[in-house]
Every structure is written in C-alpha cells, then in structure tokens.
Amino acid sequence: MEVQAHFKFVVETTRDSQTALVDMHAHAVFLFLCCFLFPRTTRPAPVAHPASTLRDTLERARMLADKIAEQIPAPHAQTGDLEMMAAALGIPPAPVLKPLAANFDVDTCVSRMSTGVQLFQELLGVLSARLDGLEGLRADLRDLFARITEIHKAIRPGDTQPVPDSAAELASRLHGDYEVQVAAQVTLGRLRSFAHDLIRSLRDIAGHVTAR
C-alpha cells in the first residue's frame, strides 16, 4: 500500500510539473508573439515635407504683407507734381510684381519681392531719422524680408540676393520738412501698393506649389 501511495504521489507530482512547464511554455510563446506581432516602437517626430514647410512660410509672409498694408492709410490721389518731387528726391520705384507666367516665373517673382522689401527697408530707415512712428513698419518689413529669404532659399538653394543701396540719394536730398513729408507720403503710398501686390503674388506662388 505504501509503495502504491508513493507511486501515485510521484505520478501526480510529475503530472503537475509537466502541466506547469506547459503553462510556462505557453505563456512564453504568447509573450514572444505579442512582441513580434505588436512591437513597441517609439514613433519618430514627424518630419515636415519641404512643400508643406514652403506653404507655411508663404502664408506667414502673406500675413505680414497684409499687416503692413493695413497699417498704412489709403493715400489721396498722387498728383503729377508729387511724382515729379519724388523723382527729384531720388526715390526709386518699387519693382513690378506681375502674375506668374512663362516669362515671369516663381524665381523672378521672389527675386523682385526681395529687392522691393529691401528697398522699402532702406527708405524707411532714412525717413525714421526725421520722422517718428515708423518703427512698427520697419520691424514688420524685417520679418517679411526674413520670410521671403526663406522662400528664396527653398526655391533656389545657395543663391543669395544682393543688397541694393537705393536710399543714399534720398538721404542727401531731404533738406527740409517739406521734402521729408513728400518723401514719406510717396514712400508709404508705394509701400501699401507693393504690399497688396505681394499678397497677390504670394497666393499665386502658393497655388503653384500646391499644384506641383
């Protein structure tokens, strides 16, 4: 009887051990499958697509141009005498921004944007030495130029724009308050018009980028 009882104990113990081993093996297989089928991965930070980044920069530039245009009151109709005075003071006209076409591509358009913004930065820099209240416009123009530089680099990497020296002649001809007032009226009126042209051109470029 004792032998039978001992044999029964050994058999049951062995069976329990085998069951435990099977359970442990099944659990390990389950964990392995979970790791294999559902790996724990760290998602990398999303990388912005170049076209998406360019569209964002175009939109920020457009908002700045809109802000600049809104800060300048609509001018009265400029007379021929005023335009003659502007020419006599050596105020150069802003570059013309035309709709995109085969003979006026994105690169040409952005180059003229850059040249125009730099021109108005210089003109306002001269006028700010004689007039108050231009600091906000100058700051917005600096930001706008930075955005346009980003756009130009995205379109033509490595290409740099020369900085024109267009305001030196104006600075030497502002002899009195009348000349300063004329220069301010002409410059701000042209800046407002140029800002509106910028908004249109930036929208055209954004549409061109989206269509590609």
Side-chain angles (χ1 to χ4, degrees):
M1 293 292 292
E2 291 180 358
V3 172
Q4 290 179 347
H6 178 71
F7 177 77
K8 181 178 180 181
F9 172 78
V10 170
V11 170
E12 290 177 353
T13 302
T14 302
R15 186 184 298 114
D16 292 340
S17 298
Q18 290 176 342
T19 301
L21 287 173
V22 169
D23 290 341
M24 290 175 62
H25 179 69
H27 184 66
V29 171
F30 174 77
L31 291 176
F32 173 78
L33 290 175
C34 285
C35 292
F36 181 78
L37 296 176
F38 309 104
R40 291 183 179 180
T41 57
T42 302
R43 293 184 178 181
V47 178
H49 192 276
S52 176
T53 302
L54 178 56
R55 284 193 295 270
D56 291 342
T57 306
L58 287 164
E59 178 61 18
R60 289 197 296 271
R62 187 199 62 78
M63 292 174 66
L64 281 167
D66 190 60
K67 180 182 177 184
I68 290 170
E70 288 181 350
Q71 292 181 67
I72 304 172
H76 300 293
Q78 295 190 358
T79 64
D81 290 341
L82 193 61
E83 289 297 325
M84 288 176 61
M85 280 293 298
L89 290 171
I91 303 176
V96 177
L97 299 178
K98 298 186 292 186
L100 295 179
N103 60 348
F104 193 81
D105 59 9
V106 172
D107 183 45
T108 303
C109 185
V110 175
S111 295
R112 290 197 183 183
M113 287 181 184
S114 179
T115 301
V117 172
Q118 289 180 86
L119 168 63
F120 285 110
Q121 281 184 295
E122 292 183 3
L123 293 174
L124 289 188
V126 171
L127 291 172
S128 65
R130 306 287 297 271
L131 292 173
D132 295 328
L134 298 176
E135 291 77 10
L137 278 175
R138 295 182 68 195
D140 290 334
L141 280 171
R142 283 194 297 271
D143 291 343
L144 179 58
F145 179 70
R147 301 290 83 76
I148 291 176
T149 300
E150 291 177 17
I151 296 167
H152 198 268
K153 287 180 179 179
I155 295 171
R156 291 284 296 274
D159 191 15
T160 58
Q161 291 293 307
V163 179
D165 186 13
S166 305
E169 190 174 358
L170 172 63
S172 66
R173 298 185 182 186
L174 294 180
H175 304 298
D177 291 341
Y178 176 72
E179 288 85 359
V180 172
Q181 293 298 326
V182 169
Q185 184 175 345
V186 171
T187 299
L188 292 177
R190 289 179 178 178
L191 174 55
R192 187 176 188 272
S193 178
F194 184 73
H196 283 300
D197 290 342
L198 265 175
I199 294 168
R200 185 203 66 221
S201 295
L202 288 165
R203 285 174 175 161
D204 287 348
I205 296 173
H208 176 79
V209 171
T210 303
R212 286 194 304 181

